[in-house]
């Protein structure tokens, strides 16, 4: 029977450590600050931002919300980011995606100062990650949270065969870099890969970040594999499901992250953890 990788449990541990750091900083008169910018009325984005704000307040992090209508001008958004860049009370800036079509998302990302880019999407931070530089810089929160999960479950990545399904800038590419930096043997497969499932069936660890339900099934993994399901999809009944369809009673998968309760809680916990780390770095 497959064993669940409990993201909620590990996230709780990460949050406890983050709260302890916040309390230590408070003794020095310092409060970490996280600014989140939300554009438009996308309900999924609104829910996600609300969860972030709630967790920040719970941990003692100063949460700064900036909300704009969908027709906000790119110039207004850029000016807001520049103002937050210059605000010493703000340690991390996050612009919730997706943005309306008339706004250049890459331009927005590059406007955020690298040292305040809590999402780790700025080209300078991406470059630091791929070069595996020995310095302090933010990393994309979902992949960083996945690495924490694997560490907590004592997964030895040194030399392991790892397959990443998907090549987005949010998960796939930073995940590739983190796995390479951990000395794993990594393959990234995507929509142009031929015989994609031949790769997943040979992997010790599979990270699926496609956003397509039933993309992979029980037979697409080798027995005992670790499967990290990043998918956040709604099925025909409106239920949240991942990319992987499996039977927990009969599956030969070794370990898997459930959806919900796997990667999702780790992403938010890592966002809070990284905000506090960036506050410490700024001191």
């Amino acid at each position: 029977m497959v064993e669940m990788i409990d993201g909620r449990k590990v996230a709780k541990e990460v949050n406890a450590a983050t709260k302890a750091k916040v309390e230590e900083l408070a003794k020095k008169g310092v409060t970490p600050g996280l600014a989140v910018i939300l554009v438009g009325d996308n309900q999924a984005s609104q829910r996600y931002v609300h969860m972030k704000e709630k967790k920040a307040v719970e941990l003692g992090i100063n949460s700064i919300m900036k909300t704009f209508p969908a027709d906000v001008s790119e110039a207004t958004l850029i000016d807001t980011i520049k103002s937050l860049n210059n605000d010493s009370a703000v340690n991390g800036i996050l612009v919730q995606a997706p943005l309306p079509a008339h706004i250049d998302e890459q331009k927005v990302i590059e406007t955020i100062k690298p040292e305040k880019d809590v999402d780790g999407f700025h080209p300078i931070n991406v470059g630091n990650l791929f070069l595996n530089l020995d310095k302090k810089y933010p990393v994309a929160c979902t992949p960083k949270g996945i690495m924490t999960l694997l560490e907590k479950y004592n997964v030895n990545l040194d030399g392991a065969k790892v397959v990443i399904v998907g090549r987005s800038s949010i998960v796939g590419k930073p995940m590739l870099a983190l796995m390479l930096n951990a000395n794993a043997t990594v393959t990234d497969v995507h929509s142009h890969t031929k015989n994609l499932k031949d790769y997943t069936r040979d992997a010790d660890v599979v990270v699926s970040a496609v956003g397509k339900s039933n993309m992979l099934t029980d037979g697409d993994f080798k027995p005992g594999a670790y499967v990290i399901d990043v998918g956040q999809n709604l099925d025909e009944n409106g239920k949240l499901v991942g990319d992987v369809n499996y039977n927990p009673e009969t599956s030969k998968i070794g370990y898997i992250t459930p959806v919900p309760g796997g990667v999702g809680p780790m992403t938010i916990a890592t966002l809070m953890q990284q905000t506090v780390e960036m506050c410490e770095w700024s001191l």
Side-chain angles (χ1 to χ4, degrees):
M1 186 172 72
V2 63
E3 184 171 334
M4 297 297 155
I5 298 175
D6 193 342
R8 288 194 178 104
K9 179 183 176 183
V10 177
K12 190 174 181 180
E13 294 172 6
V14 172
N15 287 329
T18 298
K19 189 170 185 177
K21 284 188 175 184
V22 172
E23 290 168 353
E24 285 300 313
L25 287 167
K27 294 174 183 177
K28 303 174 184 178
V30 177
T31 302
L34 173 64
V36 178
I37 298 174
L38 177 64
V39 179
D41 55 3
N42 182 294
Q43 290 189 352
S45 293
Q46 287 178 341
R47 283 195 302 270
Y48 194 44
V49 164
H50 175 70
M51 289 167 65
K52 292 173 181 175
E53 184 177 28
K54 182 180 178 183
K55 185 57 65 177
V57 172
E58 181 184 313
L59 299 180
I61 296 169
N62 183 27
S63 178
I64 301 156
M65 278 295 305
K66 300 285 184 180
T67 58
F68 296 95
D71 61 355
V72 66
S73 70
E74 184 179 278
T76 297
L77 202 56
I78 295 294
D79 286 345
T80 300
I81 293 170
K82 287 179 178 177
S83 175
L84 293 169
N85 279 339
N86 295 323
D87 187 343
S88 60
V90 175
N91 302 109
I93 302 171
L94 182 155
V95 180
Q96 185 64 41
L99 291 173
H102 68 280
I103 294 175
D104 184 338
E105 191 165 318
Q106 191 59 36
K107 183 177 179 181
V108 167
I109 290 170
E110 292 182 21
T111 301
I112 301 171
K113 283 184 176 180
E115 61 269 27
K116 293 195 176 189
D117 166 39
V118 72
D119 262 337
F121 295 159
H122 193 287
I124 287 177
N125 291 325
V126 175
N128 288 337
L129 174 61
F130 270 87
L131 292 172
N132 197 21
L133 297 184
D134 185 17
K135 58 192 293 188
K136 295 173 180 176
Y137 51 87
V139 175
C141 294
T142 297
K144 184 175 179 180
I146 289 169
M147 296 302 283
T148 302
L149 270 181
L150 293 172
E151 181 183 353
K152 290 287 185 180
Y153 276 78
N154 299 312
V155 182
N156 182 13
L157 295 171
D158 196 324
K161 289 183 180 179
V162 176
V163 169
I164 299 164
V165 188
R167 54 178 174 174
S168 72
S169 299
I170 297 171
V171 180
K173 289 174 182 174
M175 194 81 253
L176 171 69
L178 285 167
M179 288 293 185
L180 285 172
N181 295 346
N183 298 319
T185 303
V186 193
T187 303
D188 189 293
V189 297
H190 43 77
S191 59
H192 290 251
T193 303
K194 295 177 182 178
N195 303 318
L196 181 151
K197 294 176 181 181
D198 288 346
Y199 293 91
T200 60
R201 291 186 187 112
D202 191 42
D204 302 309
V205 179
V206 176
V207 180
S208 182
V210 179
K212 183 179 178 182
S213 57
N214 301 321
M215 173 70 187
L216 297 165
T217 61
D218 272 332
D220 298 325
F221 307 97
K222 78 175 186 180
Y226 286 84
V227 179
I228 306 298
D229 191 347
V230 189
Q232 298 277 302
N233 317 297
L234 293 178
D235 66 10
E236 61 274 10
N237 300 315
K239 180 183 176 184
L240 188 65
V241 296
D243 292 344
V244 182
N245 184 9
Y246 64 99
N247 185 328
E249 299 298 325
T250 61
S251 176
K252 294 181 180 178
I253 296 169
Y255 298 79
I256 192 167
T257 54
V259 179
V263 173
M266 288 302 301
T267 297
I268 294 179
T270 304
L271 172 65
M272 300 304 147
Q273 177 191 50
Q274 191 150 257
T275 299
V276 175
E277 287 173 345
M278 291 163 72
C279 178
E280 292 175 327
W281 300 342
S282 71
L283 300 176

